[in-house]
Amino acid sequence: MKLNAKLNNKKSKAQSLIEYALILAMVTVIAVVALQLLGQNMSNTLKQSAETINTGADDVQKKACESFGGTWTPGTTEEAGTCDLDTQSGTN
C-alpha cells in the first residue's frame, strides 16, 4: 500500500512539473507574439520622438543665432546647421 502511495505521489509531482512547463511555454509564445506585433509600433514611436527632439534643437539653435544677429543656415540630416555671425559690424 505504501509503495502505491509513493508512486502516485511521484506521478503527481511529474504531472505538476509538466503542467508548469506547458504554462511557461505558452506564456513565452504569447510574449514573443506580442513583441512582434508591438515592436514596429514602438520603433515608429521612437523615430517620431527623435525627429521631434531634433527639430526642437534646430529651432533653438536658429533662434539663438538670430538673437546674436547671425544668419542661420539649416543643416542636413547628416550635418548640423551653421550660424554665420556678422563679424564686421563691430569694426570701424
Side-chain angles (χ1 to χ4, degrees), residues 40 56 68 90:
Q40 190 62 37
F68 287 111

Side-chain angles (χ1 to χ4, degrees), residues 4-5 61 64 74:
N4 193 19
Q61 290 173 341

Side-chain angles (χ1 to χ4, degrees), residues 13-30:
K13 286 182 181 180
Q15 182 180 1
S16 295
L17 184 61
I18 291 171
E19 289 172 353
Y20 287 134
L22 288 173
I23 291 171
L24 181 62
M26 185 174 63
V27 168
T28 303
V29 168
I30 291 171

